[in-house]
Amino acid sequence: MRIGGLISSAVVALVVGFGSTPAQAANAPAVKAKEAYIVDSAGTVHLGKRETRRVPVASLVKVMTAYVVLREADLSDVITISAADVKYAAKGGAATAGLRKGERFTVRDLLYALMLPSGADAANALARHYGPGKTAFIAKMNRTARSLGLADTRYTNADGMPTPANGGYSTAADQAKLAQYALRSSIFTTVVGAKVHRVSKTAVHRAHTWRNTNKLLSRADGVLGVKTGYTNAAGYCLLFAGERNGLQIVGVLLGDQNERRFSTAEKLLDYAGEQVAFG
């Protein structure tokens, strides 16, 4: 059975729609990120700040990469890392999972390599395999975005690194919506919620230890993930989710500072949870 069955069209149709953005409550935490959005699984928007502005979102792009792969792959599929995968990440100065040419990994392990250390080498390998070819894979990402109603999102690669022209973009609202879809996959949720993932040395690859760049997982209870990101153009970004008072809360901070995004996210989860409980 293909993994895509876990994210069926019937399930997708159940994803909560987004309401209008209310005025920020007086007791809401200060949000200094350039763009922000907080919504819960009942459809209540708890905070919006330029949430429909189109901006680069750095490695948050990898959420869509994982989503597309999960619709097409089997976790046991094996992919061989190419020299091009390694060179691509190194040349662009991107974060890598330390993969080497000739190593062979299951899709399950490559999803951890993609989402925890934010490996552009893993992104390249997955896109190349499931396009097949990166151009075809990017087209799949954009078709999927349209099918999910992400009207203000455009992808130009599978990893979020800046492109010289016709750069990709998204919005805080679109990224929150994508996360709601992705988190309906138990596989995706397991991956992005892991603090660390280790693969033992085998005949086909070295031992690897991948640690999650999302510090929010260690700062608060009930955190589900989801993804960090950074480029000069995008600033520090954080797509996060947690469970509070029986509801799933998803938040996005774009164009923030490094450590501040985690402390702000923690406060926003608690704030939204209080709004749910006493709202």
Side-chain angles (χ1 to χ4, degrees):
M1 177 179 177
R2 309 302 282 181
I3 296 171
L6 296 174
I7 316 176
S8 67
S9 58
V11 171
V12 165
L14 294 176
V15 172
V16 176
F18 280 52
S20 59
T21 303
Q24 184 170 330
N27 62 335
V31 176
K32 296 184 179 181
K34 292 180 180 178
E35 296 84 26
Y37 193 65
I38 312 296
V39 64
D40 66 38
S41 52
T44 301
V45 178
H46 296 277
L47 182 144
K49 179 180 180 181
R50 291 192 284 268
E51 69 272 16
T52 60
R53 184 184 179 197
R54 293 178 172 182
V55 293
V57 295
S59 285
L60 303 195
V61 164
K62 295 184 178 84
V63 173
M64 180 60 86
T65 301
Y67 185 84
V68 172
V69 169
L70 284 169
R71 296 177 73 181
E72 300 197 3
D74 282 328
L75 290 179
S76 59
D77 289 351
V78 175
I79 297 176
T80 301
I81 305 304
S82 71
D85 300 328
V86 177
K87 182 178 180 180
Y88 171 82
K91 181 179 179 181
T96 80
L99 309 183
R100 290 185 181 178
K101 174 187 175 182
E103 288 189 304
R104 300 176 66 200
F105 296 93
T106 63
V107 165
R108 181 191 295 273
D109 284 334
L110 283 179
L111 286 171
Y112 284 100
L114 174 75
M115 301 303 288
L116 271 60
S118 201
D121 41 5
N124 203 76
L126 289 165
R128 175 177 52 78
H129 190 85
Y130 288 106
K134 291 193 292 182
T135 299
F137 189 85
I138 294 164
K140 288 180 180 180
M141 294 172 72
N142 284 310
R143 284 198 300 271
T144 303
R146 291 193 296 271
S147 73
L148 299 181
L150 310 183
D152 293 305
T153 296
R154 178 176 180 269
Y155 296 103
T156 56
N157 57 37
D159 55 89
M161 289 296 289
T163 52
N166 300 319
Y169 54 79
S170 187
T171 68
D174 273 6
Q175 287 300 297
K177 191 172 186 179
L178 173 59
Q180 286 188 316
Y181 281 104
L183 287 165
R184 291 180 179 270
S185 162
S186 60
I187 297 166
F188 179 87
T189 303
T190 296
V191 170
V192 298
K195 295 179 182 179
V196 63
H197 181 73
R198 295 180 174 89
V199 291
S200 301
K201 181 179 179 180
T202 70
V204 295
H205 60 66
R206 298 175 301 135
H208 290 269
T209 299
W210 297 311
R211 301 186 186 281
N212 204 321
T213 57
N214 186 358
K215 296 180 182 180
L216 189 60
L217 287 164
S218 299
R219 294 186 62 128
D221 295 331
V223 175
L224 302 174
V226 175
K227 189 72 188 72
T228 62
Y230 172 77
T231 63
N232 287 335
Y236 287 94
C237 303
L238 180 63
L239 173 57
F240 60 96
E243 294 177 343
R244 294 289 186 277
N245 294 309
L247 291 181
Q248 182 188 94
I249 296 166
V250 172
V252 186
L253 297 169
L254 305 176
D256 207 347
Q257 293 180 359
N258 187 9
E259 293 300 322
R260 188 175 67 195
R261 58 183 164 166
F262 300 113
S263 58
T264 300
E266 184 178 6
K267 293 173 185 176
L268 287 171
L269 280 176
D270 290 341
Y271 164 72
E274 291 171 0
Q275 296 295 104
V276 169
F278 305 111

